[in-house]
Amino acid sequence: MKVLGSFADDVVLWWSGTDLKKLESYVNQALVDLWNFTEDYKLSFNPSKSTVGFFTTNRKLYNFHPNILLNHQPLAVNKHPKYLGFVLDPEILSNKHIDYLVLRARRRLNILKYISGRDWGADVSTLRNSYISLIRPILEY
């Protein structure tokens, strides 16, 4: 099964199957077709910003690195690619995404720690508004 997804300037190809050589061949051919399309319409992709993710339930294949090329340049394999703000992981547990959210929220929480204090610092309403505008969007998104 093949799927092409796009949002703004992000393009994603998904492919599923059991024969790894065929999958590599299909993805490489799709990338050649995509490259030719972009050249026809004066668009461009940057191979250095493009990555490959490989997801499987077979633990023996977790370290498999597919040979995928864009404009004859091999694409880097990323175990945990980020797509539209969501960090994907091969085990489909969302642990990496949760860790990413916690890290971002903690960094912003440190800002609140700096501007608050017992005897000095921002008042309660300022801290509440800061929390609502800085931290809560990360946790709710």
Side-chain angles (χ1 to χ4, degrees):
M1 178 178 87
K2 156 178 107 164
V3 178
L4 174 70
S6 65
F7 182 81
D9 64 344
D10 291 335
V11 177
V12 178
L13 284 172
W14 288 278
W15 227 290
S16 64
T18 56
D19 187 346
L20 296 178
K21 290 296 177 194
K22 280 186 182 178
L23 289 174
E24 281 182 349
S25 173
Y26 292 154
V27 171
N28 281 321
Q29 184 57 49
L31 287 175
V32 167
D33 295 342
L34 192 60
W35 187 267
N36 292 336
F37 172 83
T38 59
E39 282 188 337
D40 291 344
Y41 290 96
K42 307 293 186 234
L43 302 171
S44 64
F45 285 107
N46 187 347
S48 66
K49 289 185 175 182
S50 302
T51 61
V52 174
F54 180 75
F55 302 94
T56 181
T57 56
N58 184 345
R59 291 207 174 263
K60 294 177 184 176
L61 295 175
Y62 277 167
N63 293 321
F64 176 72
H65 293 282
N67 185 23
I68 305 297
L69 306 171
L70 180 61
N71 194 27
H72 309 293
Q73 295 180 0
L75 296 180
V77 176
N78 186 351
K79 282 270 195 205
H80 306 285
K82 189 163 50 166
Y83 181 61
L84 300 179
F86 192 86
V87 179
L88 304 168
D89 64 59
E91 291 143 5
I92 311 169
L93 298 174
S94 298
N95 291 342
K96 293 294 179 185
H97 182 67
I98 293 168
D99 292 343
Y100 172 71
L101 291 179
V102 168
L103 178 67
R104 286 185 62 207
R106 280 197 177 138
R107 285 181 184 158
R108 293 184 180 192
L109 186 61
N110 286 337
I111 295 170
L112 290 182
K113 288 180 184 178
Y114 287 123
I115 64 172
S116 67
R118 247 182 150 174
D119 300 327
W120 64 275
D123 62 348
V124 175
S125 66
T126 303
L127 292 174
R128 182 179 184 281
N129 288 337
S130 299
Y131 167 77
I132 289 171
S133 62
L134 290 175
I135 299 170
R136 204 161 82 183
I138 293 172
L139 301 176
E140 289 180 348
Y141 176 68

